[in-house]
Amino acid sequence: MLKAERRDKILHTLAGRNALAVSEAVRILNVGEITIRRDFDQLASEGLVERVRGGIRQLRTSDMQPFGLREVSHGAAKLAIGQQAAGLLRDGDVAFIDGGTTTYQMADHLPNCRLRIITNSLRLAAKLETRMHGLSGLEVFVTGGLLYPNSGLLVGSGARQAIEQYHAHWAFLSAGGVNEHGVFNTNEWVVDSERAMIGRAEKVVVMADASKIGRTAMCHVCRLDAIHMLITDAASDTTEGLSDAGLSVVRVA
């Protein structure tokens, strides 16, 4: 197994738990203890995990901030990113849209054509409902699941099972961080739904303002090769590594 594959496997494994011991990683990856310790040390040095005695653990983070506070942060950039993403949709498309504050901005810019939107966001669904009188071809499907506090998000097994019954042309996802190692988000409940959307969509678009580029977050969502496009307002010099890795980067003003 290549080094990059080991690192991705470690991050994926850690995403579903609080900590990962050296001995368990040795068993899962079927490599030597010295190799695992080196991988753990490097991941910790890059700020992706926290090194503890006998293993690693997820970076500690606070609870999700209220939606309203997150929405106004980098608001102009999120608006431009949302408009660019909505412009990708064509007549007859089916699209997953997750519950981030950047993806929320797509609602006001959807084209007037036949669209089916699948979301786990009650806020986005309510916003789209107000636009239905002007968008005659719009249909909105809402997942079930647990309502997560301060977010308007439906998460958990109910949301995942609902997502997995659909097939979509697009998945539009928010992110807590994007770097050469992949896409990250701040909450394992959010990540669970995003992974389900990735698995059921033909094309995956990550929408992230400049504050998210080059950063990480507690949970690893996927590798860069699992997504097709990044829409961001970040300067080209900060996304150079992502472009070099083969990711299509679209910049907005």
Side-chain angles (χ1 to χ4, degrees), residues 112-131:
N112 189 8
C113 60
R114 294 179 301 120
L115 294 174
R116 290 179 170 179
I117 304 299
I118 306 162
T119 185
N120 63 333
S121 170
L122 295 180
R123 294 178 185 272
L124 178 62
K127 180 73 169 179
L128 293 175
E129 194 274 336
T130 66
R131 297 211 61 208

Side-chain angles (χ1 to χ4, degrees), residues 229-247:
M229 182 185 298
L230 168 68
I231 303 179
T232 182
D233 65 317
S236 58
D237 59 339
T238 63
T239 60
E240 184 176 352
L242 304 178
S243 299
D244 290 344
L247 179 61

Side-chain angles (χ1 to χ4, degrees), residues 126-149:
K127 180 73 169 179
L128 293 175
E129 194 274 336
T130 66
R131 297 211 61 208
M132 281 185 167
H133 69 280
L135 299 175
S136 58
L138 177 62
E139 295 181 10
V140 180
F141 299 78
V142 182
T143 71
L146 171 71
L147 179 59
Y148 193 85

